[in-house]
């Protein structure tokens, strides 16, 4: 992948995904066993804990099924009963389970569930490192290189430390540590708590009599990921072209049934590393994407990029049909065996059908001592299992070892937020939008505030107007609001931005009559097209009616003649009106004018969300076609975001815990359509390539948009998304006004990383006010490329035969693409090597 952001981040990191080890093991929790409607057994684990960062009681749940583990987090209300069936209903396709699951009281179940979680993949990794000379074409030739060159030794020292295998007591990656049967030395390192052992071809046993070098093939051939270091024959630089070495490399020359990914590395005369990555066509896309051109001058950055790429690549390979099928068969067998074992175990006489809420009530006096004893034993067994995993090195991301990663690069995370406004004196933010680089317009119950330069705020509309939705449309110089005490009284108001700037005393509802847009009485929601396009359009929903308006001037005309553009309500022209069958809950205008397959000039496509499904409506013809429906009794639509893939409009439809990609032609058979699931139900979704960010009431969850992989989670009290038109603004209760909290934006990562999140202190404000602190994530940090050398980043990528997908960002920078122009699993545009044998 070229031309797209390339900040190296681990996908599905263990300290974010290994929930059972982190949140359950060693703590008092409940475990249940049951049958799905197809008689497939499942296990459910539930733990109640008060989130230490938000003071919100949470119910974390893991559902172990043969298809894998699914995780959700649900807020708990103290005066609301929650049963196991209600928890199960939040998992996909589990809301119709007929029989309630039964609880398992045996403490030994913890060991079994830990085993199920370990099927997600290894915490530690083994990668092959192959020394290859230019012109070598067979694995016999390549593995017969007895020694490496000085440059190869330099590369090995960059990867990790050379360690003596005899007596080695850390992760050994299958190598012999007693009798030097697999060589005397190897290369070892730790990255982000992951132990990595490299199988180096020149350090493995060499046999002059064995032409096939079976001992070397035995290890390197069983590695899923291999690094191939290509060097000039006999170290002669005269005829060695690093770029040609990449384009001429043929991955089929190394025969293996297991190797799915090759990372080819060369070094030029200026000691710069060049990297290309070959993957089997079944491997899903994984990051980080390569810079353009893929040349690295900084050694530490190259090391970090390469290690992250290798770890992510191996994790992605486990999603291929070969490995996924094996994992599913193993899980199916394990779950069935555990089901049989626990259902017939004599200790299961305590099984019952009590509701989850019943677990929380006081135990009867006559059995309280017995129950207390059981709980103490349960926790003791869990803590012993946790300690055992840590001692043997199988703990998910050992935080103790993470700090000793050799050559670690300390850098700011792309999503790191800075404090924009330390104390905004209200918690009733209803709507907001950004204005330029240093302003926010924020609608509250007290009125609309203009926050300027992160240092002051002033009221511009008082609470008589009751603003529920607002938009700052800078390319056209206008300010839009939807205001009204109720939906029946809702109206659209249009102001010039220049008029807003001149407001000294707050305006009331009576002073804004002349800015009301005709035909909009009763508006319950509106949506605008992307500002800066050919024409600004506004879709207004009034009950079951949809009205479309269009701004009469283009953004270019406004830029050319700013003094002549003074229109407010008269600037909008009414286009059409449609009657829908239901009242919409959300509306998204699909800006498809730039696509070669776009509708005619008069067509305007609108995605309309209802209670449990979405339709696409053509405003000119009045025709609507069904897009996607959500099954289940409890459906909550969250968002419908328009993206662009292969110059075709695609929607990201979000509901409950799920995000679903859907092309507007209604096709669902494409392999490019896939679902991914959030750990918590979002209130808002933001796309900022290459990330998609979900906001909940107390957490921010960040995933990659190309494959849905989780990369980070942050927890904050009373979290609210403020604006995301350009930079991302969000608010959370100022830490010092939250009980027992320090002035720090807590992030669920290693302790040494927490020092980066220290916003300035709030001014003296009454504790009763409990102000919001507003944070800002600059959009350029989310999409910044790793290689910032201007003479490098401006170059065009060379034409390589066997390389990852070339990604080109669309000309319209404001449009969001889930993979620039490529699909999560490229079909036509991705040139892949022949299948590895």
């Amino acid at each position: 992948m070229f031309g797209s952001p390339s900040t190296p981040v681990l996908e599905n990191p263990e300290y974010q995904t290994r929930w059972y080890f982190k949140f359950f093991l060693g703590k008092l929790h409940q475990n249940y066993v049951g049958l799905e409607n197809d008689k497939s057994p499942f296990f459910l684990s539930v733990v109640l804990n008060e989130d230490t960062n938000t003071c919100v009681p949470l119910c974390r749940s893991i559902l172990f099924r043969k298809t894998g583990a699914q995780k959700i987090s649900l807020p708990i209300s103290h005066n609301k009963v929650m049963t196991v069936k209600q928890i199960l209903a939040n998992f996909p396709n589990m809301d119709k389970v007929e029989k309630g699951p039964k609880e398992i009281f045996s403490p030994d179940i913890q060991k079994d569930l830990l085993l199920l979680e370990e099927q997600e993949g290894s915490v530690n990794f083994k990668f092959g490192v192959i020394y290859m000379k230019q012109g070598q074409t067979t694995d016999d030739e390549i593995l017969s290189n007895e020694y490496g060159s000085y440059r190869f030794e330099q590369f090995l020292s960059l990867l990790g430390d050379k360690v003596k295998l005899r007596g080695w007591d850390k992760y050994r990656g299958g190598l012999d540590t007693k009798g030097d049967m697999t060589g005397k030395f190897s290369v070892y390192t730790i990255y982000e708590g992951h132990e990595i052992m490299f199988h180096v071809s020149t350090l493995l046993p060499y046999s002059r009599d064995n032409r096939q070098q079976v001992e070397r093939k035995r290890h390197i051939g069983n590695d899923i990921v291999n690094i191939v270091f290509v060097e000039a024959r006999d170290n002669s630089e005269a005829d060695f072209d690093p770029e040609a070495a990449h384009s001429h490399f043929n991955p089929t020359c190394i025969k293996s049934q297991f190797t799915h990914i090759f990372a080819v590395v060369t070094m030029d005369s200026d000691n710069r590393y060049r990297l290309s990555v070959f993957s089997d066509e079944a491997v899903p896309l994984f990051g980080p994407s390569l810079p353009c051109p893929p040349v690295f001058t900084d050694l530490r950055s190259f090391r970090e990029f390469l290690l992250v790429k290798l770890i992510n690549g191996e994790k992605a390979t486990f999603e291929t049909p070969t490995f996924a099928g094996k994992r599913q068969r193993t899980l199916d067998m394990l779950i069935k065996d555990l089901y049989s074992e626990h259902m017939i175990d004599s200790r299961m006489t305590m099984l019952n059908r009590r509701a989850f809420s019943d677990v929380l009530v006081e135990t009867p006096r006559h059995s309280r001592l017995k129950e207390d004893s059981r709980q103490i034993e349960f926790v003791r067994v869990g803590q012993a299992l946790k300690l055992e995993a840590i001692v043997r090195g199988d703990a998910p991301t050992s935080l103790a070892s993470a700090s000793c990663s050799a050559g670690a690069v300390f850098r700011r995370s792309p999503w790191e937020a800075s404090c924009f406004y330390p104390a905004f004196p209200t918690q009733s933010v209803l709507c907001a939008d950004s204005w330029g680089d240093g302003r926010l317009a924020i609608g509250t119950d007290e009125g609309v505030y203009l926050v300027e330069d992160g240092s002051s705020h002033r009221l511009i509309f008082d609470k008589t107007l009751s603003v529920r939705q607002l938009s700052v449309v800078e390319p056209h110089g206008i300010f839009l609001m939807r205001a009204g005490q109720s939906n029946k009284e809702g109206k659209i108001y249009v102001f010039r931005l220049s008029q807003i700037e001149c407001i000294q005393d707050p305006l009331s509802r009576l002073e804004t009559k002349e800015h009301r847009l005709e035909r909009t009485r009763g508006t319950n929601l509106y949506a605008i097209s992307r500002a800066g396009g050919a024409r600004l359009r506004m879709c207004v929903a009034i009950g079951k009616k949809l009205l479309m308006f269009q701004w009469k001037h283009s953004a270019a005309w406004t830029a050319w003649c700013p003094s002549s553009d003074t229109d407010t309500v008269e600037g909008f022209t009414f286009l059409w009106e449609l009657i829908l069958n239901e009242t919409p809950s959300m509306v998204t205008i699909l800006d498809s004018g730039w696509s070669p397959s776009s509708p005619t000039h008069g067509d305007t496509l609108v995605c309309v969300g209802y209670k449990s499904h979405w339709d696409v409506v053509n405003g000119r013809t009045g025709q609507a076609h069904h897009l996607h429906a959500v099954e289940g009794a409890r459906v909550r639509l969250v968002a419908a975001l328009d993206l662009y893939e292969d110059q075709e409009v695609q929607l990201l439809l979000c509901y409950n815990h799920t995000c679903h990609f859907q092309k507007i032609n209604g096709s669902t058979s494409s392999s490019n359509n896939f679902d991914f699931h959030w750990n918590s139900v979002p209130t808002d979704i933001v796309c900022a390539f290459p990330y998609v960010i979900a906001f909940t009431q107390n957490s921010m969850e960040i995933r990659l948009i190309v494959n849905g992989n989780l990369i980070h989670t942050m927890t904050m009290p009373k979290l609210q998304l403020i604006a995301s038109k350009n930079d991302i603004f969000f608010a959370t209760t100022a830490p010092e006004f939250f009980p027992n909290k320090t002035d720090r934006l807590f992030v669920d990562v290693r302790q040494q990383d927490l020092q980066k999140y220290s916003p300035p202190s709030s001014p003296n404000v009454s504790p009763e006010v409990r102000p919001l602190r507003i944070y800002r994530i600059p959009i350029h940090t989310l999409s910044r490329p790793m290689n910032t050398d201007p003479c490098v980043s401006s170059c065009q990528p060379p034409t390589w035969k066997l390389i990852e997908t070339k990604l080109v960002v669309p000309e319209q920078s404001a449009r969001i693409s889930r993979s620039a122009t490529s699909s999560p699993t490229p079909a036509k545009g991705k040139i892949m090597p022949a299948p590895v044998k």
Side-chain angles (χ1 to χ4, degrees):
M1 292 184 289
F2 286 107
S4 54
S6 51
T7 301
V9 291
L10 290 178
E11 301 173 18
N12 292 327
E14 273 66 17
Y15 57 83
Q16 300 287 352
T17 58
R18 295 294 179 95
W19 272 28
Y20 193 77
F21 184 93
K22 180 178 179 181
F23 297 113
F24 292 72
L25 198 61
K27 300 177 183 178
L28 187 63
H29 62 277
Q30 286 77 42
N31 299 293
Y32 299 87
V33 62
L35 291 174
E36 299 184 43
N37 290 334
D38 63 353
K39 305 303 180 183
S40 298
F42 66 84
F43 288 87
L44 175 70
S45 296
V46 179
V47 65
L48 269 185
N49 57 9
E50 187 174 272
D51 192 293
T52 56
N53 311 311
T54 63
C55 293
V56 175
L58 292 176
C59 165
R60 296 183 188 271
S61 304
I62 305 178
L63 180 65
F64 295 97
R65 310 164 80 173
K66 65 180 181 181
T67 53
Q70 296 173 318
K71 311 167 184 86
I72 60 170
S73 179
L74 300 170
I76 296 290
S77 177
H78 288 296
N79 48 358
K80 194 173 183 180
V81 175
M82 178 176 288
T83 65
V84 178
K85 264 199 167 184
Q86 290 173 337
I87 295 174
L88 278 175
N90 288 277
F91 289 98
N93 303 319
M94 293 294 289
D95 55 337
K96 296 181 180 179
V97 174
E98 295 180 1
K99 294 184 179 181
K102 299 180 180 181
E103 185 174 0
I104 304 173
F105 291 94
S106 168
D108 294 337
I109 185 62
Q110 297 173 95
K111 184 176 182 180
D112 299 330
L113 297 180
L114 187 60
L115 176 64
L116 293 181
E117 184 172 67
E118 289 174 351
Q119 304 308 310
E120 295 179 7
S122 174
V123 172
N124 303 317
F125 298 88
K126 53 187 182 70
F127 300 132
V129 184
I130 303 172
Y131 178 70
M132 174 181 177
K133 293 181 180 179
Q134 184 185 21
Q136 292 181 335
T137 57
T138 66
D139 52 2
D140 291 346
E141 291 179 314
I142 296 170
L143 295 178
S144 294
N145 294 318
E146 185 175 1
Y147 302 105
S149 65
Y150 173 72
R151 283 188 172 176
F152 183 60
E153 294 297 327
Q154 282 184 304
F155 175 64
L156 292 180
S157 65
L158 180 65
L159 288 179
D161 301 320
K162 193 172 184 178
V163 298
K164 187 177 180 180
L165 287 176
R166 185 184 288 267
W168 180 252
D169 59 352
K170 296 184 176 64
Y171 177 66
R172 60 189 183 93
L175 299 179
D176 176 54
T177 59
K178 295 180 179 179
D180 295 335
M181 300 296 293
T182 56
K184 294 183 177 181
F185 299 94
S186 189
V187 177
Y188 167 89
T189 192
I190 297 175
Y191 181 80
E192 295 284 350
H194 298 284
E195 294 184 80
I196 303 174
M197 181 64 78
F198 295 95
H199 295 161
V200 183
S201 64
T202 56
L203 295 179
L204 290 168
Y206 172 76
S207 173
R208 297 182 183 276
D209 300 328
N210 189 331
R211 184 168 166 268
Q212 293 187 344
Q213 303 299 330
V214 175
E215 279 300 310
R216 291 181 170 182
K217 285 184 179 179
R218 185 164 66 91
H219 291 282
I220 290 177
N222 285 322
D223 290 331
I224 294 174
V225 178
N226 275 311
I227 305 171
V228 181
F229 186 90
V230 184
E231 190 164 39
R233 182 181 294 275
D234 301 323
N235 296 327
S236 174
E237 296 279 354
D239 58 346
F240 181 65
D241 182 359
E243 184 176 328
H246 288 261
S247 60
H248 294 157
F249 174 78
N250 184 357
T252 60
C253 68
I254 301 175
K255 299 178 177 62
S256 169
Q257 294 181 346
F258 292 94
T259 302
H260 281 61
I261 296 172
F262 290 96
V264 181
V265 177
T266 59
M267 196 176 185
D268 61 18
S269 56
D270 296 325
N271 294 327
R272 299 186 306 173
Y273 285 102
R274 179 181 286 267
L275 173 68
S276 60
V277 179
F278 300 75
S279 63
D280 188 273
E281 60 185 354
V283 178
L285 282 183
F286 58 93
S289 53
L290 295 174
C292 170
V295 176
F296 298 81
T297 56
D298 184 87
L299 298 183
R300 292 189 305 168
S301 297
F302 174 63
R303 176 184 183 275
E304 182 184 32
F305 187 97
L306 180 61
L307 292 181
V308 172
K309 190 71 173 175
L310 300 181
I311 293 173
N312 289 344
E314 180 158 321
K315 289 181 178 181
T317 303
F318 283 116
E319 301 304 319
T320 60
T322 301
F323 287 95
K326 290 180 180 178
R327 184 175 69 250
Q328 182 169 332
R329 288 193 295 271
T330 302
L331 272 175
D332 190 19
M333 178 187 68
L334 284 174
I335 291 176
K336 286 180 178 178
D337 289 346
L338 293 178
Y339 177 80
S340 301
E341 174 188 342
H342 287 282
M343 288 301 291
I344 63 174
D345 197 312
S346 60
R347 289 170 295 182
M348 293 300 289
T349 55
M350 295 180 65
L351 278 175
N352 57 44
R353 296 175 179 270
R354 69 182 183 180
F356 174 60
S357 57
D358 295 336
V359 180
L360 306 180
V361 300
E362 290 189 7
T363 309
R365 288 186 179 182
H366 63 274
S367 59
R368 184 173 299 173
L369 292 178
K370 186 176 180 181
E371 177 67 10
D372 289 346
S373 176
R374 185 196 70 81
Q375 292 181 0
I376 292 172
E377 176 66 9
F378 188 91
V379 172
R380 186 196 65 79
V381 170
Q383 291 175 345
L385 289 169
K386 199 165 196 174
L387 180 61
E388 180 185 346
I390 293 173
V391 170
R392 71 171 183 262
D394 291 334
T397 308
S398 173
L399 301 186
S401 61
S403 59
C404 51
S405 300
V409 179
F410 296 98
R411 53 174 171 79
R412 292 170 62 92
S413 300
W415 46 83
E416 183 173 333
S418 59
C419 180
F420 177 77
Y421 201 70
F424 188 68
T426 181
Q427 285 202 325
S428 62
V429 174
L430 304 175
C431 56
D433 200 5
S434 58
W435 182 353
D437 186 53
R439 293 179 177 177
L440 277 178
I442 303 179
T444 71
D445 285 337
E446 289 77 30
V448 178
Y449 291 89
L450 184 62
V451 178
E452 301 184 84
D453 300 322
S455 59
S456 63
H457 63 272
R458 59 189 175 93
L459 194 64
I460 54 177
F461 296 101
D462 65 22
K463 61 182 180 181
T464 62
L465 201 59
S466 189
V467 176
R468 304 297 175 184
Q469 194 175 354
L470 62 84
S471 303
V472 179
V473 191
E474 295 168 81
H476 300 277
I478 57 176
F479 187 93
L480 303 176
M481 296 187 300
R482 174 175 66 86
Q485 295 291 340
S486 64
N487 288 340
K488 293 182 178 180
E489 299 177 1
K491 303 179 186 67
I492 302 294
Y493 294 80
V494 186
F495 287 81
R496 302 298 309 178
L497 291 178
S498 56
Q499 293 173 322
I500 300 296
E501 289 181 310
C502 296
I503 296 176
Q504 297 298 323
D505 298 321
L507 301 181
S508 66
R509 181 170 59 88
L510 297 177
E511 297 173 282
T512 60
K513 286 184 177 181
E514 62 182 20
H515 293 273
R516 296 175 186 169
L517 182 61
E518 294 294 329
R519 308 178 69 121
T520 61
R521 182 177 179 84
T523 299
N524 55 289
L525 64 93
Y526 76 85
I528 60 174
S529 60
R530 296 184 185 273
R535 282 287 187 270
L536 176 69
R537 292 185 172 92
M538 178 172 61
C539 186
V540 176
I542 304 175
K544 295 183 181 180
K545 292 192 300 183
L546 275 189
L547 284 72
M548 183 65 71
F549 296 86
Q550 179 174 285
W551 190 251
K552 65 181 180 181
H553 301 303
S554 66
W557 189 90
T558 302
W560 292 333
C561 313
S563 59
S564 301
D565 192 358
T566 60
D567 294 324
T568 55
V569 291
E570 65 274 12
F572 275 108
T573 303
F574 174 73
L575 294 183
W576 48 258
E577 175 182 323
L578 290 177
I579 304 298
L580 305 175
N581 294 326
E582 300 179 46
T583 301
S585 61
M586 64 182 62
V587 173
T588 302
I589 300 177
L590 305 182
D591 187 10
S592 56
W594 68 293
S595 171
S597 59
S598 64
T600 61
H601 178 72
D603 286 354
T604 303
L605 299 182
V606 180
C607 176
V608 182
Y610 300 99
K611 290 182 179 180
S612 60
H613 72 281
W614 285 273
D615 289 344
V616 171
V617 178
N618 187 319
R620 181 180 63 86
T621 64
Q623 295 180 339
H625 76 263
H626 182 66
L627 190 65
H628 185 70
V630 183
E631 297 182 356
R634 303 173 63 182
V635 178
R636 180 177 178 273
L637 303 189
V638 179
L641 305 178
D642 54 328
L643 312 177
Y644 299 88
E645 182 179 5
D646 300 326
Q647 296 190 342
E648 182 178 357
V649 180
Q650 188 180 34
L651 286 163
L652 179 63
L653 305 177
C654 307
Y655 59 93
N656 296 352
H657 288 84
T658 303
C659 273
H660 170 77
F661 289 100
Q662 178 68 58
K663 293 188 176 181
I664 62 171
N665 59 15
S667 173
T668 58
S669 60
S670 172
S671 61
N672 301 335
N673 295 325
F674 69 99
D675 293 357
F676 65 88
H677 305 282
W678 303 101
N679 291 333
S680 301
V681 177
T683 55
D684 296 282
I685 303 285
V686 175
C687 286
F689 185 80
Y691 309 110
V692 56
I693 306 174
F695 290 84
T696 72
Q697 294 179 354
N698 52 33
S699 69
M700 184 191 306
E701 197 171 322
I702 305 172
R703 294 179 179 265
L704 290 179
I705 201 169
V706 295
N707 51 25
N709 285 346
L710 175 67
I711 58 173
H712 200 69
T713 300
M714 291 185 283
T715 56
M716 285 157 282
K718 307 296 183 182
L719 180 64
Q720 294 177 269
L721 174 66
I722 297 294
S724 59
K725 181 177 62 183
N726 295 312
D727 294 344
I728 297 174
F729 294 87
F730 63 90
T732 179
T733 301
E736 60 268 39
F737 293 96
F738 214 77
N740 303 320
K741 296 296 160 244
T742 58
D743 185 12
R744 185 180 303 278
L745 174 59
F746 183 87
V747 183
D748 192 11
V749 292
R750 300 184 311 272
Q751 187 64 35
Q752 60 264 32
D753 291 339
L754 297 181
Q755 299 173 2
K756 300 183 295 185
Y757 296 87
S758 299
S761 299
S762 298
N764 293 326
V765 183
S766 170
E768 289 76 17
V769 177
R770 300 186 65 172
L772 292 175
R773 176 161 292 166
I774 300 176
Y775 291 92
R776 177 185 197 170
I777 303 177
I779 195 69
H780 67 85
T781 65
L782 290 172
S783 58
R784 64 186 174 194
M786 179 181 170
N787 197 334
T788 56
D789 187 346
C791 65
V792 173
S793 60
S794 61
C795 299
Q796 294 298 320
T799 303
W800 291 351
K801 292 182 180 178
L802 306 173
I803 198 63
E804 292 185 285
T805 310
K806 173 183 172 184
L807 300 186
V808 182
V809 179
E811 293 180 3
Q812 290 88 340
S813 58
R815 304 177 188 278
I816 299 174
S817 171
R818 124 182 184 217
S819 58
T821 59
S822 289
S823 304
T825 311
K828 299 180 180 179
K830 186 174 182 179
I831 305 175
M832 304 303 300
V836 179
K837 298 182 180 178

